[in-house]
């Protein structure tokens, strides 16, 4: 928008076109200079359309007068030490990517990213952050990727990531975290769309195995724990073996960087496989009725269990809780000390696929399975409905066949009546007589044409008869006419009576 020019600056020569042109040129020059100033690229930076790069300029503060149209801003490889609330002098509501890596940032002010509400990618890697405040990322509801690796973060305050409802990938590798941040998946600080969590190269020694097994499959398959000083026990070994059999990429890609490797189950005394390998058939499907008590053994383990062996059961459905051995008998689903899953008072919603997580080690065969299918209340229900569907199908077939037969019969009758007329033959003189006036006969085959004068159909019970007095001029005396008694006999006695009457008339 052009600025308002004070009146003394306006030069006008009344009555002369030249003065008007001078004034117009001056106003245009002011507007153009103002627009150029607004859209100019900051001096230490490089600009390419909507990208502004200020990387490697030894900047200790963010350059002023950043253009409002910028969508990607690169401030990496500088010496920025803090990010305050007023770090940009305007609202950058079109900015979607902000790169602040390789700086010396140790402090993030509360609501520091309020001027950039539409950020989707934020890179704060390789800085000096040691802790994250509760409202450090407040207002970034559209953020999808957050890079924090290579800092010195040892703790995250409660709610530090709260409100990041769109966050899918979080990189926390190369920090000093000593505990697994389970709050990212549970309670108020949960990130509902988080499918990738990098915790590699931290100081985590213990992980909540049962809680991790309770996560959805798409969440478990994106947790990276390589490079941590994990204490290798039977529970962790069982989880890693389960992840390996599930073909989760974090474990397959960095298998050698985990402390619990294949073959360590012997000295851990964790293997539950039978000595010499897994043998014998395994029942992988169980049927129960509602209210039944069901005992489901863990497939592929030997009994009795060794002391210290951990067995977990992953229940059906993503996000359903994993069950471990417990003395709590109040729950309907419990894991006994021998690893058997006990289902008390089975319900229909208990149906599904259960996975038994235990250390089985190297000695396993191709027919060994981790999963067991439980069906509650499906033995009679589907069968009954199947019978009903079968019975309904039979009734439908019968009705359809009957209807089709009727339609075919009607079509044949119509074809018979209207498409095969028999000609009436004349008398001995060879002339064509007019018998059709009294009766019209339709023949089933050519041989019956000779009987057309008798007004009958060979082998048929349908005849169209007319009284003799309607067309007396078309029938001669040589063509006998059946009387009323003969006609009544035909109608009452059918074809036999018809044949007898014909024989009598012919005679």
């Amino acid at each position: 928008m052009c600025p308002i020019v004070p009146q003394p600056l306006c030069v006008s020569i009344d009555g002369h076109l030249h003065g008007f042109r001078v004034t117009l040129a001056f106003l245009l020059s002011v507007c153009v200079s103002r627009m150029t100033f607004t859209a100019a690229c900051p001096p230490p930076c490089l600009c390419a359309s909507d990208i502004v790069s200020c990387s490697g300029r030894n900047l200790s503060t963010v350059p002023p007068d950043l253009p409002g149209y910028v969508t990607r801003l690169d401030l990496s490889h500088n010496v920025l030490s803090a990010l305050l609330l007023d770090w940009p002098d305007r609202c950058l509501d079109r900015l979607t990517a902000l790169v602040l890596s390789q700086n010396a940032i140790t402090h993030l002010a509360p609501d520091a990213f309020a001027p950039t509400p539409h950020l989707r990618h934020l890179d704060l890697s390789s800085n000096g952050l040691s802790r994250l405040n509760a409202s450090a990322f407040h207002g970034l509801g559209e953020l999808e990727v957050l890079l924090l690796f290579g800092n010195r973060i040892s703790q995250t305050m409660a709610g530090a990531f709260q409100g990041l409802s769109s966050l899918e990938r979080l990189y926390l590798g190369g920090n000093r975290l000593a505990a697994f941040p389970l709050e990212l998946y549970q309670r108020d600080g949960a990130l509902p769309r988080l499918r990738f969590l990098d915790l590699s190269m931290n100081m985590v020694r213990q992980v909540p195995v049962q809680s991790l097994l309770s996560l959805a499959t798409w969440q478990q398959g994106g947790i990276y724990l390589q490079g941590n000083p994990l204490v290798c026990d039977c529970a962790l070994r069982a989880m890693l073996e389960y992840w390996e059999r599930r073909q989760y990429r974090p474990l397959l890609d960095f298998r050698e960087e985990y402390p619990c490797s294949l073959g360590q189950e012997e000295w851990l005394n964790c293997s539950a496989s039978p000595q010499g390998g897994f043998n014998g058939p395994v029942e992988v499907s169980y049927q129960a009725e509602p209210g039944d008590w069901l005992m489901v053994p863990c497939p592929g383990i030997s009994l009795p269990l060794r002391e210290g062996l951990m067995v977990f059961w992953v229940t059906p459905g993503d996000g359903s809780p994993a069950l471990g051995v417990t003395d709590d008998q109040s729950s309907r689903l419990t894991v006994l000390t021998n690893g058997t899953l006990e289902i008390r008072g089975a319900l229909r919603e208990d149906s599904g696929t259960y996975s038994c997580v235990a250390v089985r080690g190297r000695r396993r065969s191709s027919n060994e399975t981790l999963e067991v299918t439980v069906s509650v209340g499906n033995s009679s229900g589907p069968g009954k409905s199947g019978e009903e569907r079968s019975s309904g199908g039979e009734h439908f077939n019968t009705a359809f066949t009957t209807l089709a037969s009727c339609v075919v019969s009607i079509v044949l009758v119509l074809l018979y009546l209207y498409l095969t007329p028999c000609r009436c033959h004349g008398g001995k003189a060879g002339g064509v007589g007019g018998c059709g006036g009294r009766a019209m006969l339709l023949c089933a085959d050519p041989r019956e044409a000779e009987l057309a004068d008798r007004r009958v159909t060979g082998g048929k019970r349908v005849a169209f008869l007319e009284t003799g007095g309607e067309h007396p001029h078309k029938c001669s005396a040589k063509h006998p006419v059946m009387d009323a008694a003969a006609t009544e006999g035909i109608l009452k006695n059918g074809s036999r009576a018809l044949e007898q009457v014909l024989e009598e008339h012919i005679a």
Side-chain angles (χ1 to χ4, degrees), residues 164-200:
L164 302 182
S165 56
S166 300
L167 191 64
E168 298 179 0
R169 305 176 70 89
L170 176 58
Y171 294 81
L172 288 170
N175 282 282
R176 300 178 182 179
L177 295 173
F180 187 93
L182 193 59
E183 65 273 6
L184 298 178
Y185 299 99
Q186 297 179 355
R187 297 186 290 273
D188 296 336
L191 304 178
R193 299 181 60 181
L194 186 63
R195 58 181 177 86
F196 183 99
L197 176 61
D198 177 19
L199 287 174
S200 62

Side-chain angles (χ1 to χ4, degrees), residues 357-371:
V357 181
V359 179
R360 291 169 174 81
R362 293 178 181 273
R363 293 188 297 271
R364 60 179 182 269
S365 62
S366 58
N367 67 336
E368 182 180 354
T369 180
L370 302 177
E371 298 179 344

Side-chain angles (χ1 to χ4, degrees), residues 1 59 108 130 161 230 232 245 256 295 351 489 505:
M1 179 177 180
L59 300 175
L108 295 176
S130 59
F161 300 100
L230 298 171
C232 189
R245 295 193 182 193
E256 301 301 324
M295 306 293 287
S351 301
H505 278 276

Side-chain angles (χ1 to χ4, degrees), residues 124 129 132 137 146-151 153 161 171-172 175:
L124 285 166
L129 296 171
L132 298 177
F137 305 107
L146 177 57
L147 289 79
L148 291 168
F149 63 86
N151 282 275
I153 301 173
F161 300 100
Y171 294 81
L172 288 170
N175 282 282

Side-chain angles (χ1 to χ4, degrees), residues 351-388:
S351 301
T353 301
Y354 294 76
S355 298
C356 183
V357 181
V359 179
R360 291 169 174 81
R362 293 178 181 273
R363 293 188 297 271
R364 60 179 182 269
S365 62
S366 58
N367 67 336
E368 182 180 354
T369 180
L370 302 177
E371 298 179 344
V372 174
T373 301
V374 174
S375 300
V376 179
N378 294 329
S379 58
S380 59
K384 184 176 180 180
S385 61
E387 293 176 359
E388 293 174 355

Side-chain angles (χ1 to χ4, degrees), residues 177-180 202-208 225 228-233 236 259:
L177 295 173
F180 187 93
N202 275 279
M203 303 176 65
V204 179
R205 296 179 58 83
Q206 298 283 345
V207 294
L225 295 172
N228 282 280
L230 298 171
V231 176
C232 189
D233 55 12
L236 178 62

Side-chain angles (χ1 to χ4, degrees), residues 3-226:
I4 299 176
V5 181
Q7 185 66 28
L9 295 179
C10 294
V11 179
S12 177
I13 304 176
D14 296 335
H16 296 278
L17 183 61
H18 176 71
F20 175 74
R21 290 178 178 177
V22 171
T23 304
L24 182 60
F26 175 76
L27 292 176
L28 289 176
S29 63
V30 172
C31 291
V32 170
S33 63
R34 177 64 178 172
M35 292 173 60
T36 304
F37 174 77
T38 302
C41 184
C45 305
L46 297 176
C47 299
S49 297
D50 57 351
I51 299 176
V52 177
S53 176
C54 306
S55 177
R57 301 296 179 177
N58 199 31
L59 300 175
S60 58
T61 59
V62 178
D65 301 322
L66 292 172
Y69 56 76
V70 60
T71 60
R72 178 180 175 84
L73 177 60
D74 186 358
L75 294 169
S76 62
H77 295 86
N78 284 291
V79 290
L80 303 176
S81 60
L83 206 63
L84 303 179
L85 180 60
D86 57 349
W87 63 272
D89 56 1
R90 69 179 64 205
C91 180
L92 303 177
D93 55 358
R94 296 175 60 182
L95 189 66
T96 60
L98 177 59
V99 182
L100 293 166
S101 60
Q102 298 290 337
N103 276 278
I105 299 175
T106 59
H107 175 67
L108 295 176
D111 299 322
F113 299 99
T116 58
H118 301 297
L119 270 184
R120 294 199 300 266
H121 181 100
L122 177 58
D123 187 355
L124 285 166
S125 62
S126 301
N127 279 282
L129 296 171
S130 59
R131 57 181 297 173
L132 298 177
N133 298 322
S135 58
F137 305 107
H138 180 71
L140 295 180
E142 300 179 18
L143 190 65
E144 299 174 358
V145 181
L146 177 57
L147 289 79
L148 291 168
F149 63 86
N151 282 275
R152 297 195 297 268
I153 301 173
S154 59
Q155 63 175 341
T156 58
M157 297 184 63
F161 300 100
Q162 189 172 3
L164 302 182
S165 56
S166 300
L167 191 64
E168 298 179 0
R169 305 176 70 89
L170 176 58
Y171 294 81
L172 288 170
N175 282 282
R176 300 178 182 179
L177 295 173
F180 187 93
L182 193 59
E183 65 273 6
L184 298 178
Y185 299 99
Q186 297 179 355
R187 297 186 290 273
D188 296 336
L191 304 178
R193 299 181 60 181
L194 186 63
R195 58 181 177 86
F196 183 99
L197 176 61
D198 177 19
L199 287 174
S200 62
M201 304 299 175
N202 275 279
M203 303 176 65
V204 179
R205 296 179 58 83
Q206 298 283 345
V207 294
V209 173
Q210 187 170 342
S211 297
L212 294 184
L213 290 174
S214 300
L215 299 178
T217 301
W218 57 272
Q219 292 174 317
Q220 293 186 50
I223 298 177
Y224 288 75
L225 295 172
Q226 72 275 10

Side-chain angles (χ1 to χ4, degrees), residues 246-266:
R246 289 287 186 181
Q247 299 293 299
Y248 291 160
R249 299 309 310 177
L251 194 66
L252 297 181
D253 294 341
F254 300 95
R255 190 66 188 87
E256 301 301 324
E257 299 185 32
Y258 284 85
C260 292
S261 60
L262 288 174
Q264 291 185 346
E265 59 272 3
E266 286 80 6

